[in-house]
Structures are given as C-alpha cells and as structure tokens.
Amino acid sequence: MRRDPYFLGLSVVLPITMFFLFSHAVTLDVRDMPLAVYDRSRSQTARRYIDRFVSSGYFRLVAHVDDVGALNRMLGTGQAKVAFVIPQDFSRNLHNNRPAEVQILVDGSFPTTAQVIVGYIDAINASASQAVLVRYLERQGQRSSQLAIEPAVRVWYDPALKSMNYIVPGLYGVILLAFAPLLTALGVVRERESGSIHQIFVSPVRPYQFILGKTIPYCALMFAVTLVLLAVGIYGFRVPMRGNLLLFVALLAVYTVCTVGVGLLFSTLTRSQLGAILLALLGAMMPAFYFSGFLYPVEQLPAFVRYNCYLFPAYYFNRISRDIVLKGMGLQQIWPDVLIIMAYTSLLLVGASLRLKKKV
Amino acid sequence: MGIRLAALIRKEFLQFFRDRFVIILVAWAFMVDALLMGYSLALKPEHLALGVLDQDRSQRSSQLIQQLSATRYLDLAHWASSGREMNMLLDQGKVDVGVVIPASFSRQIDLGQPVRVQVLVDGTNSVVASIGANYVSAIILRHSRQVLIERSAIAPSQVAALPAIVGRIRVWYNPGLDATIYMALSGVLLDLMFIAIVIPAVAVVRERVAGTIEQLLVAPIRPIELLVAKMLPMAAVTFTGFVISLLEVVVIFGVPLQGSLLLFFTASVLFLFAAFGIGLSISTIAQNLQQALLASFFLVIPMVFLSGTMTPVDSMPAVMQYISYVSPLRYFTDIGVGIFFKGVGLAALWPRFLALFGFGFLLLTFSAQRLGRRLT
C-alpha cells in the first residue's frame, strides 16, 4: 500500500477535504434572511413591527421598495427571501383598535428553509399581535395588563442551533462509509489484478490471517484519518464533546473496522477495479449520504427511507455519535446501537473470510 | 469525410453499449438516484413528538394541551410525570419538544399574573428544533390571547374586532413547502453532472490504457473528428437518460413546470458541454482508470454540496458562497429552480446562461487542445 504515493495521498486528502467542505457548506441555519418591505402606511407602528423581525436576528432588512413589482422581482432573483406588504390602513386600524392585516410573502423555492422561516414569522407575528392586544387592554384600564401565558423556550444539547453541531458528529460516520470501502476494495482488487494475491494463496496463510493482514493497514490508515477529523471537529470547529472522548474513540475504532470490512467484502465480489468502484459507489458511498440521517433525523423521514437506513451501519454509528457528542450519554444508554455495530462488523469479516476461502 | 465520420460514430456507439460498467452507472443514476434523493433528503417536519409535563392538572392546562396536540405538526407522544422523566424522554430522543406547565398555572391566570410555560426543545437538529419551537410558541401565544380576552370580559361579539396583527403568510414557488419536489429536481440535475463527468473521463482513459487510441492515431482522422465522434454517443445517451429521469420526477413526484421547457433544455445542453469539458479534462490528466474515477468523485462531490442542491447556498458562510461560483452546477441549479418552480425567464437568468456557456467553452477548448496534442 505504501508503495503507491498517489493512492496513499488520496486516501488521506479525500476524506479530510470532504470533511472541511461538508462541515461548512452543508448548513441549514436560518439567520439574517434578506427581507424586503413595501410599507404603504409609512408609519412608526409599521417600522416597530418590522423591527421585531429584524431584531430577532433571523431577518435582515435589505430594501424598502415602492411597489409590489419590485418585491416580486426581488423574490424572483433571490435578493429577498421574505417580503412584507404593509397596507395603507395598517397603523390607522391599530390606532382605532381594529385588527390590521399584513401580507407576508415567503420564497418557498428551498422548502426546508422556507418552513423554518414561516415558523419564525408565525411566532414573531403572534407575539406582536399579542403585544397590541395587551396595550389595548392597558388603555382600557384592565387589571390584567400583561401577557397571560409566556412560552419560555429552552433549547437543549445545541442551544445556539448551529447546524454544524448536527452535521459534524454525523460526518465521521458518513465519511468513513463513503471512503473506507472504496479505498479498501480498490486496493485489494488492484493487488489481485497484479497477481500478487496468488502468491498469498499458495503460501500457508489461512484466510482469516489473510483477512487480518489485509484489514489492519487499511484500518490503521482510515482510523488515523478519522482521528485527525475528530481533532479538527473538536478543536478547530468547536463542536462540543459532552460525553466520554475515550469511549467515542474506542467506538470509532470499531466502526472503522466495520467500514473497512464492507470494502473487503466488496473486493471478494468483483474481479475488476471498475466493479469495485461501482460496488463501493452504489453500495456504500451513496447510502452513506442518503441513508444515515446525515442531514435530518431519520425519524422525520418517510418510512421507506427509515427501513433502508436500518440496513447501513452509518445510521447506527451516527446515533451513537450524536448521543455521545451532543447529549453526553454513556454506554449504559447506547449499548443497543453498540451491539448492532459489533455484530455487523463480525458478520462482515466472517462473510469476507468465507468468500475468500471459497476462492482459494 | 462524411462517411468517415459516420463510420467513426457508429464504432463509438457500438463501443459505448458494450461497456457494462457505464450502462449500469447510467441506468442507476437516472432511474434510481433522483428518486432516492426525492425520498431520502426531503424533510417533512410533521408529527413531531410532543411530551407534556402537566403539574397543574386543571381544566385550563388541559385546554392548552388540547390545542397543542390539535395540529398535524405535533403528536402528543408522552406524558411525563416529573422533570426527570421529561429529561430522560428528551435524552432518549422519544420527545422532540417538551412542554412543562407549572403547578401554579391556572391560579396565576385567575389572579391575572403572567405565567411562564417552559418549552424544552431537542436542539440536536437545528431545523427540526426551530420548527418545533416555533410551532409550540405560536400555539401558546394564541392561547394566551384567548385567555386575555376571556379574562377581560369582552363580549364574544366584539372579539373579532379587537386589535390584532393578522399575518397572511403566502409561500411562493412551492406553496405546499414540499421538499420532495425540490430534492427530486436537484437529483436529476446532479445526476446529469455526475454522468456527464464520469463517462468521458472513463471512456478516453480506458481507450488510452488499452492502446486503441494509438490505432485511431494512425487512422486518417482529425482530432476534432475523433472528439465529435467520441462525444456524440455519450451526449445522446446522457441526454436521453436525463430526459427520462426528468419525466420520472414530474410524473411520480409532481414537480411543476412553471417556465419554458425549451429554455431549460437549452440550459441543459450548455451544462452538458461544461460537464463534458470537466470529464475530458480529467481524462487528459489522469494516468489510469482509477485515477480518473477518483478524481471525478473528488470533483463531483464538493460540487454537489456547494451548489445549493442539498442545502441552500444563501445559508453557507461567505467563503463557501464564493467557492460555489466555480461550480457549473450552481448556475444550473439556479436555472432549474428558476424555470421549474419560479417560472422566471431569460430576463432573470441570463447571467447564469452566460456563465454556463463560458464554462463549457473554456473547458472544451482546453481538453480538445490537450487531447489534440496527445494525438499528434
């Protein structure tokens, strides 16, 4: 393995680059969403209303426009994601103690973000509306001139709601499943193509010894790479580590063996490098992204996807990872997932040995 | 020359369809992958698990709980009997949002004092967490409004005339907020890129490794003819697959088409050339098949994630947004979303068309030159 610097370099550079890219590019954070306003009332009241949205930090006022056409254009080009149309009688209605309407247009072209935006707008608007009522009751001399029930939201595990804190603990599992099988299968098949494997077949090495000999260098390499990722995640990106680091590293080691095992099994199923790449691509890399709960919790996805997730080890490892990293859980809570990963790994290694034995 | 070229094209077509690897890849990408993306990366934040700790157990508290669980967004999944149990439910992921109603809830309301209801949110996934927190907050605030009105002894006939701000939220371009149609369209676009990069990269390198390119070299063909003959079958197959997968997502997921299909296909051809340019460039640099494939993955994966196909470009840090400008897929995604969902035309999209054209022109010229130099 060491004799091919290109291959070795790639196995190190590929995962690390992906880790950097994903941890920064894959973000669903809703912050500073560009907001445009067409204020036909031109009133203090309207400005205060808009201020509520801007001061929440989720929206950023980018433009005051003078006609609806401009709003449409800004939404169409993406310069604004949210547009408020405040009617002429907005402040007059409120001053006269009547309900006032506001039209709010949301760019739904990226639906997930739009859903979050709609949620914020709805909640902020509800609180603005309540404030209006409270002021009215105050003026009426009601004794209860305060908010009746106040929701006090507390976010656990990731109070800042940074999607990086969700993505990065999931990346260890995804990147290993995306690249370890690819590199392992390619490496082993290449060796077979060059014929050096026959030397091993005629030598008195037993299949399991051969498997061990094959697995260990790849495991060591991939594990080393993952440790680098872990260090970057914790110290570079400041992703918290609430649980036991040692436990996590130990489970990471088990999972590394598991993903290398996937590659090993693939390598026994095909004779060509192309076949190995195809298997790794369709059987490991794509599922790593689609069926691991990488972007969203699996529980929020359709049942068909959930069942597919159960087939791939990345799903179980990502659960372990988030439980330890974000929730600070220990072995007594996560043992079922740990057991599954271990069983999965053993099955893979036994399967690969059996297939190899047949070939010998 | 015409006959010569025709013969060459025929040969390339035959060669193309003999390759099992390529056929499997194309079929899988266009038939399966876009569907998978539509299903597996589309979040539907409904039926979030709601946990309730009701320390008041009064008529007022059960009214609030009833309102919380009345929508399809929240399902009352667990009743906690203590704060500790609520913590455990959140830890185990059995509850996405927990609501704690204090023992003094109804008493304070009757006394006219403000009362706080704790909303505990599992923040591990920021999207699900913020959506859940906002659902619950908005429901509680509305309930609070009802309580205020009730308490102030305003006649029911006057309630509708009380001051309020009514936000009429209208979602444009995707009114149902259906993430599936977005992801499925994204899948079609990125699969086109994947195939249009990998296939030329693989095909040319293979021929070089097999040495058959030397045979072509001594044949009386000009490099440009060879390039055209090589690209034609690839373009035909790739584009057919692309159209099939587009049909697939339109029929199965109901992806709407608001704008001009012709304009979209124009963009697709420009994009195809840009992607071919990338693939051919790789093939002129890579030494062997393995290098060509790994280099393709190495380029394709970041381009996919940087292009707004999976997560919006606007949410990325500024540096990443700048990097995303070098990915042709970013322009193509903007065009696809613009035409399919927004129904905008060339007036809004022309800079992206220009960018795609520029990419295709530069990359194809570059790779044709390098290929030509190798041949002569």
Side-chain angles (χ1 to χ4, degrees), chain B residues 97-137:
Chain B
V97 191
V99 173
V100 181
I101 299 175
S104 60
F105 185 73
S106 52
R107 190 163 37 91
Q108 278 181 288
I109 287 179
D110 290 336
L111 288 173
Q113 290 168 348
V115 55
R116 300 185 119 211
V117 169
Q118 262 205 331
V119 180
L120 306 171
V121 184
D122 176 348
T124 41
N125 185 281
S126 62
V127 174
V128 176
S130 53
I131 290 174
N134 284 325
Y135 284 155
V136 172
S137 296

Side-chain angles (χ1 to χ4, degrees), chain B residues 289-326:
Chain B
L289 199 61
Q290 185 202 332
Q291 284 184 5
L293 276 166
L294 291 179
S296 307
F297 292 166
F298 194 63
L299 277 176
V300 167
I301 297 176
M303 272 159 72
V304 166
F305 280 89
L306 276 171
S307 300
T309 49
M310 308 231 177
T311 56
V313 174
D314 302 289
S315 301
M316 295 173 195
V319 186
M320 292 290 161
Q321 293 195 25
Y322 288 123
I323 298 176
S324 74
Y325 281 113
V326 293

Side-chain angles (χ1 to χ4, degrees), chain A residues 207-220:
Chain A
Y208 78 88
Q209 289 170 324
F210 173 75
I211 289 279
L212 277 182
K214 281 269 78 131
T215 321
I216 288 168
Y218 286 103
C219 288

Side-chain angles (χ1 to χ4, degrees), chain A residues 6-7 10 13-14 17-18 20-22 24-29 33 49 72 75-78 81 90 94 97-116 118-123 125-130 132-134 136-137 142-144 146-158 161-163 166 179 182 186 190 273-274 277-278 281-282 285-286 289-291 294-297 300-302 304-305 326-327 329, chain B residues 21 24-25 28 33 36-37 39-46 48 87 90-93 96 105 109-131 133-135 137-138 140-145 147-149 151-152 154 160-174 177-179 182-183 194 206 289-291 293-294 297-298 301-302 305-306 308 310-312 314-317 320 337 342 344 348:
Chain A
Y6 177 83
F7 190 70
L10 213 60
V13 171
L14 210 61
T17 316
M18 296 300 158
F20 268 93
L21 264 176
F22 290 165
H24 287 85
V26 180
T27 158
L28 290 152
D29 292 348
M33 283 291 146
Y49 172 68
N72 292 354
L75 284 172
T77 54
K81 295 277 167 210
F90 178 77
L94 287 179
N97 299 324
R98 279 198 306 262
E101 269 194 24
V102 177
Q103 210 180 37
I104 303 159
L105 310 172
V106 178
D107 174 357
S109 56
F110 197 93
T112 312
T113 311
Q115 187 107 45
V116 177
V118 166
Y120 280 122
I121 292 177
D122 198 30
N125 193 73
S127 111
S129 182
Q130 167 130 287
V132 167
L133 181 69
V134 166
Y136 165 75
L137 294 175
Q142 296 277 350
R143 68 190 164 106
S144 55
Q146 289 175 71
L147 210 67
I149 311 165
E150 186 186 354
V153 176
R154 263 185 58 201
V155 177
W156 282 17
Y157 313 125
D158 181 16
L161 283 179
K162 273 166 61 187
S163 57
Y166 181 81
F179 294 108
L182 177 74
L186 249 184
R190 246 156 39 114
Q273 286 190 46
L274 272 182
I277 287 181
L278 201 59
L281 180 73
L282 305 187
M285 193 183 262
M286 291 301 161
F289 289 115
Y290 292 165
F291 301 125
F294 161 62
L295 267 179
Y296 308 113
Q300 301 302 330
L301 299 174
F304 153 79
V305 180
L326 291 174
K327 298 188 173 181
M329 288 188 177
Chain B
F21 170 76
I24 294 176
L25 210 58
W28 179 81
D33 192 58
L36 278 185
M37 247 188 97
Y39 281 120
S40 67
L41 296 178
L43 178 74
K44 201 165 191 198
E46 289 178 3
L48 301 186
N87 294 359
L90 280 159
D91 272 347
Q92 293 166 343
D96 297 310
F105 185 73
I109 287 179
D110 290 336
L111 288 173
Q113 290 168 348
V115 55
R116 300 185 119 211
V117 169
Q118 262 205 331
V119 180
L120 306 171
V121 184
D122 176 348
T124 41
N125 185 281
S126 62
V127 174
V128 176
S130 53
I131 290 174
N134 284 325
Y135 284 155
S137 296
I140 292 178
L141 284 166
R142 275 192 205 109
H143 185 73
S144 167
R145 189 182 163 84
V147 168
L148 270 175
I149 292 169
R151 209 164 55 185
S152 60
I154 292 166
L162 283 175
I165 301 175
V166 184
R168 299 246 179 264
I169 303 178
R170 272 182 51 204
V171 177
W172 280 14
Y173 313 131
N174 188 346
L177 284 175
D178 179 1
Y182 184 91
M183 285 300 168
F194 177 64
R206 275 180 128 178
L289 199 61
Q290 185 202 332
Q291 284 184 5
L293 276 166
L294 291 179
F297 292 166
F298 194 63
I301 297 176
F305 280 89
L306 276 171
M310 308 231 177
T311 56
D314 302 289
S315 301
M316 295 173 195
M320 292 290 161
V337 170
K342 297 189 177 182
V344 291

Side-chain angles (χ1 to χ4, degrees), chain B residues 8 62 100 102 149 210 227 243 248 363:
Chain B
L8 199 60
S62 51
V100 181
I149 292 169
L227 200 67
V243 172
E248 206 178 59
L363 287 165

Side-chain angles (χ1 to χ4, degrees), chain B residues 36-256:
Chain B
L36 278 185
M37 247 188 97
Y39 281 120
S40 67
L41 296 178
L43 178 74
K44 201 165 191 198
E46 289 178 3
H47 305 292
L48 301 186
L50 174 72
V52 173
L53 169 54
D54 182 3
Q55 292 169 323
D56 192 32
R57 292 169 191 276
S58 63
Q59 207 191 336
R60 283 202 184 282
S61 66
S62 51
Q63 258 173 17
L64 175 61
I65 294 164
Q66 201 269 323
Q67 288 193 346
L68 282 169
S69 53
T71 64
R72 71 171 185 282
Y73 300 113
L74 298 163
D75 289 348
L76 184 52
H78 290 279
W79 291 91
S81 52
S82 66
R84 272 213 18 225
E85 198 189 337
M86 181 66 90
N87 294 359
M88 231 168 64
L89 289 169
L90 280 159
D91 272 347
Q92 293 166 343
K94 288 187 177 158
V95 157
D96 297 310
V97 191
V99 173
V100 181
I101 299 175
S104 60
F105 185 73
S106 52
R107 190 163 37 91
Q108 278 181 288
I109 287 179
D110 290 336
L111 288 173
Q113 290 168 348
V115 55
R116 300 185 119 211
V117 169
Q118 262 205 331
V119 180
L120 306 171
V121 184
D122 176 348
T124 41
N125 185 281
S126 62
V127 174
V128 176
S130 53
I131 290 174
N134 284 325
Y135 284 155
V136 172
S137 296
I139 293 171
I140 292 178
L141 284 166
R142 275 192 205 109
H143 185 73
S144 167
R145 189 182 163 84
Q146 276 175 15
V147 168
L148 270 175
I149 292 169
E150 220 174 89
R151 209 164 55 185
S152 60
I154 292 166
S157 59
Q158 285 179 300
V159 168
L162 283 175
I165 301 175
V166 184
R168 299 246 179 264
I169 303 178
R170 272 182 51 204
V171 177
W172 280 14
Y173 313 131
N174 188 346
L177 284 175
D178 179 1
T180 304
I181 56 177
Y182 184 91
M183 285 300 168
L185 182 67
S186 283
V188 173
L189 306 186
L190 76 87
D191 283 326
L192 176 62
M193 178 177 78
F194 177 64
I195 291 301
I197 288 179
V198 169
I199 288 182
V202 168
V204 177
V205 169
R206 275 180 128 178
E207 191 133 356
R208 209 168 59 233
V209 172
T212 45
I213 212 149
E214 269 78 34
Q215 293 172 10
L216 291 174
L217 200 73
V218 292
I221 323 164
R222 277 182 292 162
I224 185 74
E225 286 177 315
L226 181 63
L227 200 67
V228 169
K230 277 237 159 296
M231 274 173 57
L232 218 61
M234 294 179 204
V237 171
T238 309
F239 213 77
T240 312
F242 171 65
V243 172
I244 291 174
S245 72
L246 206 58
L247 264 174
E248 206 178 59
V249 298
V250 168
V251 170
I252 295 179
F253 294 121
V255 174

Side-chain angles (χ1 to χ4, degrees), chain A residues 2-283:
Chain A
R2 204 179 298 151
R3 257 184 252 144
D4 187 347
Y6 177 83
F7 190 70
L8 191 66
L10 213 60
S11 359
V12 175
V13 171
L14 210 61
I16 292 180
T17 316
M18 296 300 158
F19 184 70
F20 268 93
L21 264 176
F22 290 165
S23 53
H24 287 85
V26 180
T27 158
L28 290 152
D29 292 348
V30 169
R31 227 155 259 143
D32 296 327
M33 283 291 146
L35 177 153
V37 179
Y38 174 30
D39 180 6
R40 299 181 61 191
S41 78
R42 296 173 184 280
S43 62
Q44 186 83 43
T45 321
R47 266 194 296 279
R48 268 206 305 273
Y49 172 68
I50 294 295
D51 259 353
R52 272 180 179 267
F53 290 86
V54 176
S55 62
S56 72
Y58 301 111
F59 303 95
R60 166 172 56 96
L61 187 62
V62 287
H64 270 283
V65 297
D66 290 324
D67 63 306
V68 179
L71 281 188
N72 292 354
R73 272 195 302 281
M74 291 189 79
L75 284 172
T77 54
Q79 284 167 285
K81 295 277 167 210
V82 185
F84 280 72
V85 183
I86 298 178
Q88 220 156 10
D89 55 5
F90 178 77
S91 66
R92 189 160 12 106
N93 275 338
L94 287 179
H95 283 301
N96 295 337
N97 299 324
R98 279 198 306 262
E101 269 194 24
V102 177
Q103 210 180 37
I104 303 159
L105 310 172
V106 178
D107 174 357
S109 56
F110 197 93
T112 312
T113 311
Q115 187 107 45
V116 177
I117 293 177
V118 166
Y120 280 122
I121 292 177
D122 198 30
I124 295 171
N125 193 73
S127 111
S129 182
Q130 167 130 287
V132 167
L133 181 69
V134 166
R135 255 198 316 278
Y136 165 75
L137 294 175
E138 225 165 56
R139 280 199 301 273
Q140 299 287 303
Q142 296 277 350
R143 68 190 164 106
S144 55
S145 55
Q146 289 175 71
L147 210 67
I149 311 165
E150 186 186 354
V153 176
R154 263 185 58 201
V155 177
W156 282 17
Y157 313 125
D158 181 16
L161 283 179
K162 273 166 61 187
S163 57
M164 188 193 258
N165 287 348
Y166 181 81
I167 299 292
V168 169
L171 274 181
Y172 308 124
V174 169
I175 288 197
L176 268 174
L177 187 61
F179 294 108
L182 177 74
L183 296 167
T184 309
L186 249 184
V188 175
V189 170
R190 246 156 39 114
E191 193 164 340
R192 188 158 340 120
E193 272 185 355
S194 68
S196 55
I197 212 158
H198 292 288
Q199 292 169 11
I200 294 165
F201 284 162
V202 294
S203 74
V205 175
R206 284 158 178 264
Y208 78 88
Q209 289 170 324
F210 173 75
I211 289 279
L212 277 182
K214 281 269 78 131
T215 321
I216 288 168
Y218 286 103
C219 288
L221 178 68
M222 292 320 294
F223 188 55
V225 169
T226 315
L227 287 184
V228 173
L229 301 187
L230 186 62
V232 172
I234 295 175
Y235 301 108
F237 303 156
R238 308 242 160 247
V239 172
M241 172 48 83
R242 304 225 167 84
N244 188 332
L245 182 63
L246 231 72
L247 173 68
F248 187 62
V249 171
L251 292 172
L252 205 54
V254 176
Y255 179 70
T256 309
V257 178
C258 183
T259 54
V260 169
V262 173
L264 218 53
L265 187 68
F266 285 169
S267 76
T268 64
L269 299 175
T270 175
R271 257 167 300 163
S272 69
Q273 286 190 46
L274 272 182
I277 287 181
L278 201 59
L279 266 176
L281 180 73
L282 305 187

